Amino acid sequence: MKKTMIYMAMLLMAFGLTYDTASAETTNTRIYTIVVDRFMSGDDGNDINVTDEKETPLPFGGDFQGIESNLDYIKDMGFNALMLSPVFDRAEDDYLGYAVREYGEIEEAFGGPEAFQSLIDAAHERGMDVIVDMPATLAEGYTALDRPILNNIQQDYYGMIDAEFIDLSNADNQKRYKEMAREFTGEYNIDGLSMTVIQDGIDAKEFLPEDVTTYGISGDDDISLEGFDHAAPNDLQEALSYGFSKPDRETPAYPTDGTLLLADHWFSERFTHNVVEANMFPGTRINQLTTYLYAYQGPIAFQYGTEIALNGDEIPIVHRQMDLWTDQELVDEIAAINEVTQKHPQIYQGETEVIKNEDGHFVQRYYTSDVDFVLNINSTSVTENVEVPFEGEDESKMLSGMLIGDLIRGSDMENDAFLAVLDREESELYAIIEETGMNNGYIYVGLLIFGGFGIFVWLVARKRRPNERK
């Protein structure tokens, strides 16, 4: 049904409602996070200690080649950055990459340095950044941290690899770690570094280089994220996952400070898990979450496999193997949301105003120098309406829905406001444009369709008449 609505909206846009749009792509960072071993194998020749047992925490054989061969798939959904799990030389029985043996070497089971550089070059050719997650696990030459702060999933994983951690408050450790990270980013032309922080009271500027964008992710409320260019605090991640996993729950307000928005990460339960626990249909909830994320004026992260509703709440099931052909309909819906937002990068550049945020109904207006927009997310269990107050000459304009094709004319309204009505668990992004009548092209297309159908019926009836006389 949603796919049909998308096609109808596209038809209206093509033949009915036309207005100028910007041609540039979105300027905000959309990150697709990938556990390298669990995405796709492109070269069986580099498999080391690989298993077919999906319930075990051993490697599955994913590698850089497997990611590179699917970059277009990722880009078509609207992602302009990859965030890779650690890529350094690691223990052979570790699939996630934090059991580091040597920071200066690229893991051969992932394809080694040449395949890594090939992936980076291929991503850059497509205008995509490459971000690598940095472990803080102990390797030779560092002083150990006494008391790491770990959530339950981290405790299970790090317990399996018997990990110790680098004390990043130690000045000697900071200097050594920053030099290592600087050499790594310089050698491979890395665009960003991320870290899932397990220590409170540290400043990323003291141990990460300044010439790349940095992202900090917290798995516990007791961890602060200082010095990162973009931070994803644990409480906001949990609120986002909770809010969109079921209707009638509060939608978090958009941050305005460059916060990294994500609904799950490598050391949290999957967003889909919370949806299933709430006895909801994953596709609908993921669609609404995606619309919310793609309309945010800051960076977002979307974990691999969310587009096919991968589930899990513990190690290693939370990192299931990717299957690119599981749920193409949901992938198409995400691509359609991306297509709309890509065509309107003004959304990410102007001021905003929240019109309504109540029990899952979130409405926000975007003010731009060109066309204003209204985001309407009805994450409730009932049909909702909202009045969008007129601004300036809005009375002579209309709300043109670009996701499901909703049309609302200002001249038909009272109370100096557009009345937007949306069914339960649906989302719409409106452009506020000048009112137009029925477009001639749309009329012609309708006449051709119905006229052609009428001729077809007449020919079939004519062919049957002689047979009926026999």
Side-chain angles (χ1 to χ4, degrees):
M1 181 62 181
K2 283 186 178 290
K3 185 182 291 187
T4 303
M5 295 301 294
I6 290 170
Y7 292 153
M8 289 176 63
M10 291 173 63
L11 186 64
L12 284 171
M13 292 295 295
F15 296 106
L17 302 168
T18 59
Y19 46 91
D20 292 333
T21 63
S23 59
E25 293 188 352
T26 57
T27 55
N28 63 331
T29 302
R30 294 179 181 168
I31 302 168
Y32 188 78
T33 73
I34 298 176
V35 174
V36 177
D37 176 74
R38 297 301 166 95
F39 188 73
M40 185 66 64
S41 175
D43 182 4
D44 294 341
N46 58 34
D47 287 355
I48 300 175
N49 207 26
V50 169
T51 181
D52 291 330
E53 297 295 329
K54 305 307 181 184
E55 306 295 320
T56 67
L58 292 174
F60 287 174
D63 51 36
F64 301 133
Q65 296 96 319
I67 299 171
E68 181 177 341
S69 65
N70 289 284
L71 285 177
D72 290 334
Y73 161 82
I74 298 169
K75 185 175 177 62
D76 286 346
M77 288 188 291
F79 299 102
N80 54 21
L82 306 176
M83 182 182 288
L84 305 178
S85 58
V87 300
F88 305 103
D89 180 36
R90 84 229 196 289
E92 292 184 359
D93 60 350
D94 172 39
Y95 75 92
L96 193 49
Y98 292 88
V100 178
R101 295 189 299 196
E102 176 57 59
Y103 282 103
E105 302 292 334
I106 302 300
E107 174 56 47
E108 290 293 338
F110 295 157
E114 291 185 1
F116 182 48
Q117 188 64 65
S118 178
L119 168 60
I120 295 168
D121 293 342
H124 287 169
E125 288 172 3
R126 291 165 172 80
M128 304 172 73
D129 289 344
V130 177
I131 304 161
V132 176
D133 199 68
M134 298 296 292
T137 38
L138 199 61
E140 186 176 352
Y142 292 97
T143 303
L145 173 67
D146 287 335
R147 296 178 181 177
I149 302 173
L150 307 174
N151 63 29
N152 291 337
I153 292 177
Q154 288 171 313
Q155 289 177 27
D156 290 343
Y157 168 71
Y158 285 121
M160 287 188 296
I161 65 173
D162 195 24
E164 291 185 279
F165 302 92
I166 300 171
D167 182 358
L168 290 174
S169 67
N170 177 285
D172 290 338
N173 284 349
Q174 292 171 352
K175 181 179 178 180
R176 180 183 176 90
Y177 196 90
K178 179 178 280 193
E179 289 176 354
M180 174 274 297
R182 184 180 291 115
E183 290 178 4
F184 170 62
T185 57
E187 181 176 359
Y188 293 101
N189 195 21
I190 302 298
D191 305 287
L193 299 176
S194 63
M195 179 176 282
T196 306
V197 181
I198 48 85
Q199 181 178 2
D200 191 35
I202 56 176
D203 187 335
K205 288 184 172 61
E206 296 176 340
F207 56 84
L208 292 179
E210 300 83 6
D211 56 351
V212 296
T213 305
T214 57
Y215 302 83
I217 300 171
S218 169
D220 191 282
D221 288 346
D222 291 333
I223 294 177
S224 58
L225 299 169
E226 301 294 334
F228 292 96
D229 295 314
H230 303 285
N234 184 70
D235 57 349
L236 181 56
Q237 176 263 311
E238 290 183 342
L240 191 57
S241 181
Y242 177 83
F244 276 97
S245 60
K246 187 177 182 179
D248 304 315
R249 290 176 173 175
E250 181 180 356
T251 301
Y254 284 136
T256 58
D257 59 356
T259 293
L260 173 65
L261 281 189
L262 44 78
D264 55 16
H265 53 79
W266 296 321
F267 293 110
S268 75
E269 68 277 0
R270 285 272 182 170
F271 172 70
T272 302
H273 172 77
N274 289 334
V275 174
V276 173
E277 287 290 295
N279 200 29
M280 303 304 299
F281 176 62
T284 300
R285 307 313 306 164
I286 293 170
N287 182 291
Q288 293 221 298
L289 171 67
T290 303
T291 304
Y292 173 88
L293 291 175
Y294 278 28
Y296 172 50
Q297 293 181 319
I300 66 167
F302 194 93
Q303 189 171 187
Y304 86 98
T306 300
E307 73 274 21
I308 60 169
L310 286 189
N311 196 352
D313 66 336
E314 59 184 17
I315 294 289
I317 304 303
V318 71
H319 304 130
R320 294 179 184 271
Q321 188 170 28
M322 183 63 181
D323 185 345
L324 295 173
W325 302 277
T326 298
D327 195 342
Q328 188 60 44
E329 183 172 355
L330 182 53
V331 173
D332 290 343
E333 289 179 10
I334 293 172
I337 296 169
N338 166 60
E339 185 175 359
V340 169
T341 55
Q342 287 275 8
K343 288 179 178 178
H344 304 282
Q346 312 99 307
I347 294 172
Y348 307 102
Q349 299 160 4
E351 296 184 357
T352 63
E353 178 188 4
V354 176
I355 296 173
K356 182 179 181 181
N357 188 4
E358 182 179 333
D359 299 328
H361 191 196
F362 181 80
V363 184
Q364 176 168 286
R365 179 164 181 157
Y366 299 78
Y367 297 94
T368 82
S369 58
D370 183 13
V371 176
D372 286 0
F373 300 86
V374 175
L375 175 67
N376 188 359
I377 298 179
N378 180 12
S379 182
T380 79
S381 55
V382 297
T383 298
E384 289 281 357
N385 62 74
V386 62
E387 290 189 347
V388 180
F390 288 157
E391 298 275 353
E393 300 178 354
D394 282 355
E395 186 176 0
S396 64
K397 297 181 179 181
M398 64 192 300
L399 297 185
S400 170
M402 298 179 290
L403 295 178
I404 58 177
D406 197 16
L407 301 176
I408 303 168
R409 297 180 183 275
S411 59
D412 296 336
M413 298 295 105
E414 299 179 356
N415 300 329
D416 294 329
F418 299 103
L419 181 61
V421 182
L422 206 58
D423 288 343
R424 63 185 180 91
E425 296 187 83
E426 284 195 341
S427 300
E428 183 63 285
L429 179 64
Y430 304 95
I432 303 179
I433 64 171
E434 295 295 334
E435 274 202 25
T436 61
M438 182 64 75
N439 183 276
N440 289 337
Y442 184 65
I443 295 174
Y444 296 151
V445 170
L447 290 174
L448 285 173
I449 293 173
F450 290 106
F453 180 73
I455 293 172
F456 172 75
V457 172
W458 177 75
L459 289 173
V460 170
R462 184 180 181 189
K463 185 176 181 180
R464 289 183 58 188
R465 285 192 187 109
N467 293 332
E468 291 172 354
R469 296 191 185 104
K470 292 180 181 180

